[in-house]
Amino acid sequence: MIDLLTAGGISAVSVLLLVATSFITALFTATLGVGGGVLLLAVMASVVPVQVLIPLHGLVQFGANGNRALMTIRHLDKPVFFYFLAGAVFGAILASFIVVRLPLLVIQFAVAAFILLLLWGPNPKPRPRNTSHRGNIVTGAVTTLIAMFVGAAGPLVAAFIHRKYDDKLTLTATFAACMTMQHALKAIVFSTIGFAVYQWLPLITLMIASGAAGTWLGLKMLVRLPTHHFKTAFKWIVTLLAIRLLYDAFSTLLD
């Protein structure tokens, strides 16, 4: 028990904070579709060493999204998922060869602007089959590449998925499946460049377990949430996350 509560060398209080946060953010994401990953990243950034933040967050989110994807798998849009996965694999391979990173400021502005364009730009609700396979592949590649550097590209994927579905369960299932594979690829890339995952396995296990409980409860709440309210909440949450990115970027620029 002592080893579990000092996972990765951080304090027992920090471990308990992260486990509780994993539950809350998984519940939040399962109920409203998105937002939990970014919130979890923010909390983790204040607790774990910066050099392990992105791979550790990716592994926890792999478990959280994987649980949600399995619980909603019958609603998955398989063609969109597989084309997204093809692009994600390409993006992960490309990321593994990049040695010069884009400035964080540039990424923040670009991602925030693109999210807002997807959500509020013209033609916001095309039918699912109107989106080309090439578009799905490009989305998978670009968002996976971005995720390697900023940790949480979920809002960008969510903005893309939001345009495609009126059914809340199809949206939830497809988004969760795409994010599961994106985080899995992130974990693979970071493991190849030396991330010592075994040191953090106790913490990862605890956070995935608490996240599974949050996901189960959140999906129960999702079924009872009217579709119109779900779509509205989803859109505004992603918008607020994009505004937060802009705020962070401007704050950095003004410092």
Side-chain angles (χ1 to χ4, degrees):
M1 185 65 175
I2 296 298
D3 290 340
L4 286 176
L5 293 181
T6 55
I10 62 176
S11 69
V13 173
S14 295
V15 170
L16 292 174
L17 171 64
L18 291 177
V19 171
T21 302
S22 181
F23 172 84
I24 293 168
T25 54
L27 185 151
F28 185 82
T29 302
T31 305
L32 296 177
V34 70
V38 175
L39 177 58
L40 181 63
L41 182 66
V43 174
M44 292 179 70
S46 66
V47 176
V48 304
V50 65
Q51 65 269 22
V52 302
L53 174 61
I54 292 180
L56 184 59
H57 175 266
L59 285 167
V60 174
Q61 286 298 96
F62 166 74
N65 284 280
N67 285 326
R68 197 163 73 257
L70 288 174
M71 293 178 192
T72 58
I73 193 167
R74 65 181 181 277
H75 302 282
L76 175 65
D77 186 335
K78 293 179 182 178
V80 168
F81 167 69
F82 284 116
Y83 281 105
F84 179 94
L85 176 58
V89 171
F90 175 78
I93 293 172
L94 181 61
S96 68
F97 289 103
I98 292 178
V99 292
V100 179
R101 300 183 178 184
L102 286 174
L104 179 59
L105 191 66
V106 173
I107 296 174
Q108 288 173 322
F109 275 120
V111 170
F114 190 51
I115 287 172
L116 293 174
L117 177 63
L118 284 175
L119 289 174
W120 299 100
N123 191 26
K125 294 182 180 179
R127 299 308 301 170
R129 302 307 177 191
N130 288 343
T131 304
S132 69
H133 297 323
R134 182 180 299 174
N136 295 328
I137 292 172
V138 169
T139 299
V142 172
T143 59
T144 301
L145 183 60
I146 291 172
M148 299 295 172
F149 303 110
V150 300
L156 184 55
V157 179
F160 170 74
I161 296 293
H162 174 272
R163 295 168 58 93
K164 300 172 69 60
Y165 306 109
D166 290 323
D167 180 71
K168 61 187 178 182
L169 289 172
T170 302
L171 188 157
T172 297
T174 306
F175 176 61
C178 290
M179 293 306 300
T180 298
M181 297 314 301
Q182 189 172 88
H183 286 298
L185 291 168
K186 187 194 303 183
I188 292 171
V189 169
F190 277 99
S191 67
T192 63
I193 61 175
F195 174 61
V197 63
Y198 66 89
Q199 296 179 359
W200 296 91
L201 277 178
L203 177 62
I204 292 169
T205 302
L206 288 171
M207 292 181 70
I208 289 177
S210 66
T215 296
W216 178 85
L217 181 58
L219 290 175
K220 294 293 184 182
M221 297 169 64
L222 172 64
V223 172
R224 294 172 172 80
L225 185 66
T227 297
H228 172 71
H229 295 327
F230 171 82
K231 291 281 288 183
T232 300
F234 187 96
K235 184 173 183 176
W236 278 104
I237 289 168
V238 177
T239 298
L240 289 173
L241 292 172
I243 292 172
R244 171 60 189 272
L245 276 177
L246 288 175
Y247 173 81
D248 289 343
F250 277 114
S251 297
T252 302
L253 192 62
L254 294 174
D255 283 344

